[in-house]
């Protein structure tokens, strides 16, 4: 397993087929939970939906290392004071100190921010091993930044996906095509929204292992996944790089690291040697030998001029091509993305929801050519813009969806936060400069259309006393519990006059002073609202308590103040 950077495997080559078979065999034995169908084929969950929509991968499905862990179980490093041991597999189990720290810190942060995800740091280590050989064996500085950029091959469609430049070369230094960047190999368009600041320096740098590890953790934990469930774990890994061989390789390293790892000094980690491409990958190729001088081409043979026949002269033979002159490259056929001229709305309805609820409507767009023909297999990015805490299902503010056969992409459901007001959902085409579409979404305050008392007990009191029962009401909206609804309670003058009464029953404020209007009330999670105790002054009679809520629900409650009746002995 010693690293020799020049040993690379070409996609489609015989050696790759052998390696893939080995990956599948080893993964089947080392990674429990990968199921098989009735044909004996391995199956995993797919992120794609039934209509063909799916999320783009983090890496652009670029190159990765195919080396497998040793069959021997790893062992932890010896305790201080014991002699050195070097059991089989120990070298591969060693993870550079700073890189290992980044993985563990990312796990700790995700335990707080997304506890239901159950992300193990060993999964980040497995992906880091496959993507970059643990940041080139831990060649990072004290802050976790790699000494030089780790770049994948150009995603120019030559053996990999075709992704035109999306960052003007800001991350990958390539203004023509995107390249995966950093220890976790994010493509720039994904890093733009998925990037995180993992080391607290105020920057989001894909070449910093703390930032990249935290970003990878959040990326894997999208869609409310629980990575302790094998099918969810498989989906997460396939979402990172959509390849069954990739899944098997990562699962193998995950199982291996779970059996034991240890820390090694930065820069001394074991490097993989086999990759799915033979071009410039996560590690630079070895220094090439000086090129041999080209052979002097032999002069071309002269072709005797043909003799003209009775029909006239003949056309001269074309000049022979110069040996060694490369043929002009064939033009690259346009991708579906290249043919997109504009975005069209695909039946998006008005977007409204009350705070805390899920929107009933979804944003849907269609990619079309200039002639109005639908274009399938195009990535559309939906981004939530504005001062809002609304998210898509799963807690993300960005979602990338691939158009289906009808050219349609539908964003995940929107979930309203507690902030009310308008925000924007913007749809853009990934890898293509066409005008996006903006949709206004509105979050309104929770509403109630019905109020009812929870008790039928008559509310009575003697002058100068206090009411024995407190007023409690339940709010509903469209026959469902209306929680968090704002309400106001006022002792009014009459059913026709909502002006505050200056006599009769009253509430007390925090200082014990008389108040007859209560504001900023809200129903609880069960739609219930219980008012404070009511007191009576010396005025007798029947009084009205009016309760109003957002949405127009109103309830009037009678309050009776009468002198106590006396009985004659």
């Amino acid at each position: 397993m010693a690293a020799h950077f020049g040993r690379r495997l070409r996609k489609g080559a015989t050696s790759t087929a052998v390696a893939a078979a080995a990956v599948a065999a080893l993964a089947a034995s080392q990674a429990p939970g990968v199921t098989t169908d009735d044909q004996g084929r391995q199956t995993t969950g797919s992120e794609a939906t039934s209509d063909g929509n799916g999320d783009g991968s983090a890496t652009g499905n670029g190159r990765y290392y195919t080396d497998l862990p040793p069959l021997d179980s790893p062992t932890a490093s010896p305790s201080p004071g014991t002699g050195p041991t070097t059991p089989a597999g120990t070298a591969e189990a060693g993870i550079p100190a700073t890189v290992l720290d980044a993985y563990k810190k990312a796990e700790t942060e995700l335990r707080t921010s997304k506890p239901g995800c159950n992300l193990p740091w060993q999964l980040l280590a497995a992906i880091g091993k496959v993507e970059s050989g643990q940041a080139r064996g831990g060649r990072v500085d004290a802050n976790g930044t790699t000494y030089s950029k780790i770049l994948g091959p150009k995603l120019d469609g030559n053996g990999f996906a075709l992704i035109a430049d999306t960052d003007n070369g800001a991350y990958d230094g390539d203004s023509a095509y995107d390249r995966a960047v950093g220890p976790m190999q994010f493509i720039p368009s994904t890093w733009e929204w998925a990037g995180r600041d993992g080391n607290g320096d105020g920057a989001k740098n894909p070449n910093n292992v703390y930032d990249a590890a935290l970003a990878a953790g959040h990326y894997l934990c999208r869609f409310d996944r629980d990575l302790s469930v094998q099918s969810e774990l498989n989906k997460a890994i396939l979402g990172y790089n959509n390849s069954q061989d990739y899944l098997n390789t990562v699962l193998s390293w995950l199982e291996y690291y779970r059996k034991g790892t240890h820390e090694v000094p930065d820069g001394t980690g074991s490097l993989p040697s086999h990759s799915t491409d033979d071009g410039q990958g996560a590690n630079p190729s070895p220094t090439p030998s000086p090129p041999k001088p080209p052979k002097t081409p032999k002069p071309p043979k002269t072709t005797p001029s043909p003799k003209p026949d009775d029909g006239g002269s003949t056309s001269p033979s074309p000049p022979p091509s110069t040996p060694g002159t490369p043929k002009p490259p064939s033009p690259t056929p346009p991708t579906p993305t290249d043919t997109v001229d504009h975005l069209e709305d695909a039946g998006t309805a008005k977007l409204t929801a009350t705070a805390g609820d899920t929107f009933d409507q979804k944003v849907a767009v269609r990619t079309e050519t200039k002639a109005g023909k639908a274009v399938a297999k195009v990535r559309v990015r939906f981004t939530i813009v504005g001062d809002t805490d609304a998210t898509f299902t799963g807690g993300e503010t960005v979602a990338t969806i691939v158009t289906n056969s009808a050219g349609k992409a539908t964003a995940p459901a929107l979930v309203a936060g507690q902030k009310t007001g308008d925000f924007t959902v913007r749809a853009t085409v990934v890898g293509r400069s066409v005008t996006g579409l903006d949709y206004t979404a509105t979050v309104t305050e929770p509403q109630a259309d019905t109020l009812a008392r929870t008790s039928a007990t008559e509310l009575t009191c003697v002058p100068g006393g206090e009411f024995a029962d407190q007023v409690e009401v339940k709010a509903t909206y469209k026959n469902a519990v209306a929680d968090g609804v704002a309400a106001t309670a006022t002792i009014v003058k009459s059913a026709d006059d909502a002006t505050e009464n200056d006599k009769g029953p009253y509430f007390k404020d925090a200082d014990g002073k008389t108040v007859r209007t209560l504001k900023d009330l809200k129903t609880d999670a069960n739609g219930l609202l219980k008012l404070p105790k009511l007191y009576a002054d010396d005025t007798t009679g029947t009084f009205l308590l009016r309760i109003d809520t957002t949405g127009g629900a109103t309830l009037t409650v009678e309050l009776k103040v009468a002198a106590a009746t006396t009985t004659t002995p």
Side-chain angles (χ1 to χ4, degrees):
M1 301 296 285
H4 298 293
F5 294 128
R7 297 170 57 195
R8 303 209 179 246
L9 301 180
R10 187 66 164 169
K11 283 186 176 179
T14 303
S15 55
T16 299
V18 174
V23 170
L26 185 60
S29 65
Q30 291 189 339
V34 179
T35 59
T36 58
D37 61 16
D38 57 359
Q39 303 298 317
R41 296 172 300 218
Q42 287 184 335
T43 59
T44 62
S46 172
E47 205 62 71
T49 58
S50 57
D51 65 354
N53 285 353
D55 199 81
S57 71
T59 65
N61 294 336
R63 48 86 55 223
Y64 60 91
Y65 288 109
T66 61
D67 290 13
L68 293 172
L71 294 176
D72 300 291
S73 296
T75 58
S77 56
S79 301
T82 63
T85 59
T86 312
T90 296
E92 287 298 339
I95 299 177
T98 300
V99 179
L100 180 60
D101 185 56
Y103 296 150
K104 291 185 176 181
K105 277 185 167 57
E107 179 197 54
T108 300
E109 195 277 345
L110 266 299
R111 233 186 254 139
T112 300
S113 61
K114 293 186 178 181
C117 179
N118 295 307
L119 172 83
W121 67 260
Q122 291 92 340
L123 175 59
L124 298 176
I127 291 176
K129 179 71 172 183
V130 171
E131 292 294 348
S132 68
Q134 310 297 23
R136 295 177 180 163
R139 297 188 68 249
V140 297
D141 63 21
N143 294 319
T145 302
T146 58
Y147 289 119
S148 60
K149 287 185 177 181
I150 300 177
L151 298 175
K154 291 183 179 181
L155 299 176
D156 57 3
N158 185 20
F160 300 100
L162 176 59
I163 302 180
D165 175 66
T166 60
D167 66 330
N168 293 319
Y171 293 120
D172 56 15
D174 193 326
S175 58
Y177 300 99
D178 270 352
R179 302 175 70 167
V181 182
M184 305 304 277
Q185 289 289 277
F186 279 94
I187 55 174
S189 56
T190 301
W191 182 262
E192 190 62 31
W193 61 267
R196 295 290 195 279
D197 176 14
N199 62 353
D201 64 357
K204 300 176 183 179
N205 180 4
N207 286 294
N208 181 279
V209 70
Y210 287 98
D211 295 358
L214 184 58
H218 278 276
Y219 188 93
L220 293 163
C221 286
R222 294 175 306 156
F223 309 118
D224 288 333
R225 291 190 181 110
D226 180 357
L227 301 185
S228 65
V229 178
Q230 188 67 42
S231 60
E232 294 292 291
L233 174 65
N234 292 347
K235 286 181 182 180
I237 297 171
L238 286 171
Y240 208 88
N241 189 318
N242 191 18
S243 161
Q244 184 69 36
D245 287 341
Y246 180 87
L247 170 68
N248 293 336
T249 308
V250 170
L251 288 175
S252 296
W253 282 106
L254 170 60
E255 188 69 12
Y256 182 75
Y257 286 141
R258 276 175 166 163
K259 293 176 181 177
T261 57
H262 61 276
E263 180 183 297
V264 298
D266 290 341
T268 65
S270 178
L271 295 170
S273 58
H274 297 86
S275 170
T276 54
D277 77 305
D278 61 359
Q280 181 78 3
N283 290 303
S285 298
T287 303
S289 302
K292 296 180 179 179
K295 296 181 180 179
T296 304
K298 296 180 181 179
K301 296 180 179 179
T302 57
T303 305
S305 301
K307 295 180 181 180
D309 58 19
D310 293 340
S313 63
T314 60
S315 300
S317 299
S321 59
T322 304
T325 303
K327 294 181 180 180
S330 301
T332 303
T335 66
T337 302
D338 294 333
T339 66
V340 175
D341 176 76
H342 59 273
L343 282 170
E344 282 288 333
D345 177 63
T348 304
K350 187 177 181 181
L351 301 168
T352 58
T354 57
D357 289 345
T358 299
F359 284 72
D360 293 331
Q361 311 82 14
K362 295 181 179 180
V363 177
V365 300
R366 186 170 54 254
T367 51
E368 294 184 353
T369 64
K370 191 172 184 179
K373 183 179 178 180
V375 186
K377 297 182 179 179
V378 174
R379 293 193 301 158
V380 175
R381 178 176 297 131
F382 297 95
T383 307
I384 294 175
V385 181
D387 183 17
T388 180
D389 54 355
T391 64
F392 292 115
T393 302
E396 302 294 337
T397 57
V398 177
T400 303
I401 304 297
V402 178
T403 57
N404 62 14
S405 58
K408 184 178 178 181
T410 303
L414 286 164
V415 180
Q418 295 304 312
K419 287 185 178 180
T420 59
D422 294 343
F423 64 93
T424 299
V425 179
R426 180 166 298 153
T428 55
V429 177
V430 177
R432 182 76 170 166
S433 295
V434 298
T435 303
L437 294 180
D438 283 355
Y439 295 87
T440 300
T442 303
V443 178
T444 61
E445 292 185 14
Q447 301 178 41
D449 53 19
T450 304
L451 278 177
R453 281 190 65 198
T454 59
S455 170
T457 304
E458 187 177 49
L459 298 167
T460 61
C461 182
V462 296
E466 66 178 54
F467 288 80
D469 296 303
Q470 291 177 244
V471 177
E472 184 181 64
V473 297
K474 183 172 184 177
T476 57
Y477 182 70
K478 295 181 179 180
N479 297 321
V481 168
D483 59 310
V485 177
T488 302
T490 307
I491 308 295
V492 297
K493 289 186 175 181
S494 69
D496 298 324
D497 187 354
T499 306
E500 179 183 300
N501 207 330
D502 57 358
K503 56 186 176 181
Y506 61 90
F507 302 102
K508 291 181 180 180
D509 65 12
D511 297 324
K513 295 180 179 179
T514 298
V515 293
R516 290 189 170 90
T517 298
L518 298 177
K519 298 180 179 180
D520 300 323
L521 304 172
K522 279 194 175 182
T523 59
D524 65 14
N526 298 312
L528 297 175
L529 173 63
K530 192 170 188 176
L531 300 182
K533 282 187 176 182
L534 276 163
Y535 303 88
D537 60 13
D538 295 334
T539 310
T540 59
T542 299
F543 301 88
L544 299 180
L545 167 65
R546 175 170 168 154
I547 305 172
D548 297 289
T549 68
T550 303
T554 299
L555 177 67
T556 302
V557 181
E558 284 190 350
L559 306 173
K560 294 182 179 179
V561 180
T565 57
T566 57
T567 56
T568 304

